């Protein structure tokens, strides 16, 4: 059966890298990118493949069962890689219900439509849910998250992702759907919306704006280059065992304040500023409510069983990332002004 893969959230940060990888690497697959184009979805992320013969974009919401059902029918969807989600913890604190609606209801909706469309042949299709390490909660010692670590989500965002993971596994158990879940650490790289720590700091340093560090900046995150996550998703999609979970991470832990200082140092060099200039922008602000202290992934299983490991060291990845933002001022301007929405209008609505 020729593969026709539905990738949801493909106009977002990680999804766009997954779509670009699959469209360029697997010319015999049809790739259907479904995205609602919320504030986080940006078709400019996909310019280099938008004319490819094996690529289709569909603007739709995963909460809309009718649109999903007709899309499964018209594109004969064989597999799903599900990334569409509300993804920012701070937004989940101010509007938790939006996270329940998309991350929980939207995911269950998608599971239902897939189950119906694949009725009688569920063993021939795969539903892959892309999730986060945040479902495991907050570490306060030097241990790591394993695939067997009990879920203990602490924010509305992670609670909604945990819930959606549980539903995916429930469909595997109850209806014998072929499913796989991967839980990844924090990603960084090109096309990252500048509300998250790394792109926000790059943008603010460039524009001499304050760098808001929550609390004392002592919280720890494990950072992985986004293209390495996309490679891991490719690996899990093709080689992962049905019903399994794979943790994905970079074994690359940093305290927030150390990341911010590193960005200041590198940006001073690249912008020709005197050493120490950008550090003066660091501003300690009120801590995030319920701020998770530390995330750390043990990625041994995917390394040993599927042979995946990160291809880039952090030093190299962060250089590529900063250089990308400096070279793509237009992208940043469009995203920060909101005018990237016009790109969609021009491309898909005014023709
Ligand atoms: P993102 O916010 O950049 O992109 C999300 C995409 O989903 C956007 O294009 C948005 O338009 C789309 N979307 C949102 N609601 C939708 C809806 N109701 N219907 C259809 N499309 C909708 O997110 P991201 O950082 O690329 O994360 C992608 C996935 O990976 C998410 O499921 C997230 O939980 C997971 N994840 C993210 C990270 C990270 O560090 N960013 C780490 C691990 C896992
Ligand atoms: P973020 O990029 O929002 O990812 P997540 O909360 O999913 O890990 O935040 C990364 C870390 O940086 C987190 O500990 C919160 C902190 N942070 C700041 O200190 N200042 C900021 O402006 C932002 C956005 C995050």
């Amino acid at each position: 059966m020729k593969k026709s893969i539905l990738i949801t959230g493909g106009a977002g940060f990680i999804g766009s890298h997954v779509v670009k990888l699959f469209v360029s690497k697997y010319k015999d697959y049809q790739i259907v990118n479904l995205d609602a184009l919320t504030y986080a979805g940006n078709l400019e992320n996909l310019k280099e493949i938008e004319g490819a013969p094996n690529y289709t974009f569909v603007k739709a919401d995963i909460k809309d069962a009718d649109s999903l059902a007709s899309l499964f029918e018209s594109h004969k969807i064989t597999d799903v890689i599900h990334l569409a989600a509300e993804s920012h913890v701070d937004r989940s604190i101010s509007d938790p219900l939006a996270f329940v609606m998309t991350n929980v209801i939207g995911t269950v909706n998608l599971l239902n439509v897939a189950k119906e469309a694949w009725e009688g042949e569920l063993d021939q299709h795969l539903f892959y849910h892309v999730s986060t390490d945040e479902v495991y909660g907050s570490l306060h010692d030097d241990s790591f998250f394993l695939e067997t670590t009990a879920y203990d989500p602490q924010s509305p965002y992670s609670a909604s992702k945990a819930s959606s993971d549980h539903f995916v596994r429930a469909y595997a158990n109850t209806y014998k759907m072929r499913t796989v879940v991967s839980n990844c650490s924090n990603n960084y790289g090109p096309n990252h919306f500048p509300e998250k720590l790394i792109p926000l700091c790059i943008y603010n340093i460039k524009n001499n704006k304050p760098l808001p560090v929550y609390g004392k900046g002592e919280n720890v995150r494990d950072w992985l280059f986004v293209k390495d996550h996309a490679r891991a998703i490719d690996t899990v999609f093709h080689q992962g065992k049905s019903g399994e979970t794979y943790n994905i991470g970079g074994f690359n832990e940093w305290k927030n304040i150390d990341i911010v200082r590193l960005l200041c140092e590198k940006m001073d060099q690249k912008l020709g500023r005197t050493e120490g200039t950008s550090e003066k922008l660091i501003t300690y602000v009120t801590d995030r409510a319920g701020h998770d202290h530390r995330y750390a992934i043990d990625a041994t299983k995917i390394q040993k069983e599927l042979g995946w490991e990160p291809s880039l060291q952090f030093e190299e990845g962060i250089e590529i990332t900063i250089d990308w933002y400096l070279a793509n001022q237009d992208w940043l301007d469009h995203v920060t002004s909101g005018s990237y929405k016009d790109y969609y209008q021009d491309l898909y609505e005014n023709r």
Side-chain angles (χ1 to χ4, degrees):
M1 193 181 350
K2 191 179 168 192
K3 283 200 182 301
S4 176
I5 305 172
L6 175 65
I7 300 182
T8 68
F13 168 47
I14 301 170
S16 62
H17 287 280
V18 176
V19 167
K20 284 183 275 193
L21 178 66
F22 273 68
V23 167
S24 55
K25 186 169 172 186
Y26 300 107
K27 303 267 193 272
D28 53 336
Y29 295 178
Q30 273 302 319
I31 303 300
V32 180
N33 171 13
L34 177 146
D35 198 296
L37 298 178
T38 68
Y39 79 95
N42 181 356
L43 289 173
E44 289 185 12
N45 295 344
L46 295 154
K47 271 185 173 163
E48 61 214 68
I49 51 103
E50 67 193 11
N54 62 336
Y55 172 68
T56 309
F57 172 72
V58 177
K59 182 176 187 276
D61 194 310
I62 55 166
K63 300 193 288 295
D64 177 355
D66 290 344
S67 294
L68 292 181
S70 63
L71 185 134
F72 266 74
E73 167 98 43
S74 57
H75 290 274
K76 309 245 169 311
I77 299 299
T78 57
D79 305 272
V80 172
I81 304 178
H82 175 37
L83 296 104
E86 289 290 343
S87 69
H88 190 38
V89 174
D90 293 327
R91 287 179 188 256
S92 82
I93 293 169
S94 45
D95 186 8
L97 209 48
F99 285 66
V100 176
M101 295 311 288
T102 283
N103 299 0
V104 186
I105 310 278
T107 300
V108 177
N109 214 20
L110 188 57
L111 282 163
N112 277 339
V113 171
K115 181 169 82 64
E116 299 241 316
W118 298 338
E119 193 68 57
E121 47 184 54
L122 279 169
D123 57 333
Q124 293 168 43
H125 305 278
L126 179 68
F127 189 104
Y128 178 178
H129 187 224
V130 175
S131 193
T132 167
D133 62 353
E134 304 193 23
V135 297
Y136 296 120
S138 178
L139 292 166
H140 293 277
D141 55 20
D142 57 4
S143 63
F144 290 83
F145 297 136
L146 291 164
E147 287 79 357
T148 49
T149 301
Y151 275 27
D152 187 20
Q154 300 289 319
S155 74
Y157 164 65
S158 54
S160 68
K161 291 296 290 187
S163 174
S164 56
D165 287 359
H166 288 321
F167 270 103
V168 173
R169 294 190 182 106
Y171 274 59
N173 178 62
T174 311
Y175 307 110
K176 309 301 168 213
M177 247 180 142
R178 282 184 64 228
T179 65
V180 69
V181 176
S182 60
N183 297 84
C184 188
S185 62
N186 286 60
N187 286 211
Y188 70 97
N191 309 100
H192 205 182
F193 195 84
E195 64 179 354
K196 309 272 171 81
L197 181 69
I198 289 180
L200 179 83
C201 286
I202 294 174
Y203 178 75
N204 284 8
I205 292 169
K206 171 109 196 298
N207 294 294
N208 281 306
K209 291 182 169 180
L211 307 176
V213 173
Y214 298 168
K216 295 184 177 144
E218 298 284 319
N219 304 65
V220 175
R221 297 291 182 265
D222 166 12
W223 294 94
L224 180 70
F225 191 62
V226 64
K227 292 190 188 192
D228 275 329
H229 188 192
R231 284 179 45 248
I233 290 172
D234 179 7
T235 303
V236 170
F237 178 80
H238 287 99
Q239 298 172 45
K241 269 176 50 191
S242 174
E244 292 287 317
T245 299
Y246 297 92
N247 280 356
I248 303 168
F251 286 111
N252 176 44
E253 290 179 55
W254 286 77
K255 278 185 189 167
N256 292 340
I257 187 63
D258 293 337
I259 290 258
V260 176
R261 290 208 176 103
L262 178 77
L263 292 170
C264 289
E265 185 191 313
K266 294 209 171 279
M267 297 275 293
D268 278 348
Q269 287 163 12
K270 288 182 193 287
L271 296 170
R273 293 180 182 166
T274 316
E275 201 183 323
T277 307
S278 301
E279 274 209 28
K280 296 196 185 98
L281 299 168
I282 293 176
T283 310
Y284 291 92
V285 299
T286 309
D287 207 354
R288 173 185 279 170
H291 196 170
D292 285 345
H293 176 65
R294 172 175 168 257
Y295 304 141
I297 279 279
D298 183 337
T300 308
K301 177 176 172 181
I302 187 172
Q303 284 182 358
K304 287 227 165 98
E305 293 186 11
L306 307 185
W308 172 90
E309 56 184 16
S311 68
L312 277 188
Q313 295 296 316
F314 186 66
E315 281 284 316
E316 205 181 334
I318 206 75
E319 288 278 340
I320 293 172
T321 304
I322 298 171
D323 289 345
W324 186 86
Y325 279 93
L326 293 179
N328 287 275
Q329 189 59 48
D330 282 359
W331 184 92
L332 257 182
D333 288 345
H334 293 171
V335 162
T336 48
S337 72
S339 69
Y340 62 105
K341 300 275 178 207
D342 302 340
Y343 180 76
Y344 167 72
Q345 299 261 341
D346 288 350
L347 195 63
Y348 291 97
E349 287 182 353
N350 299 334
R351 61 176 180 184

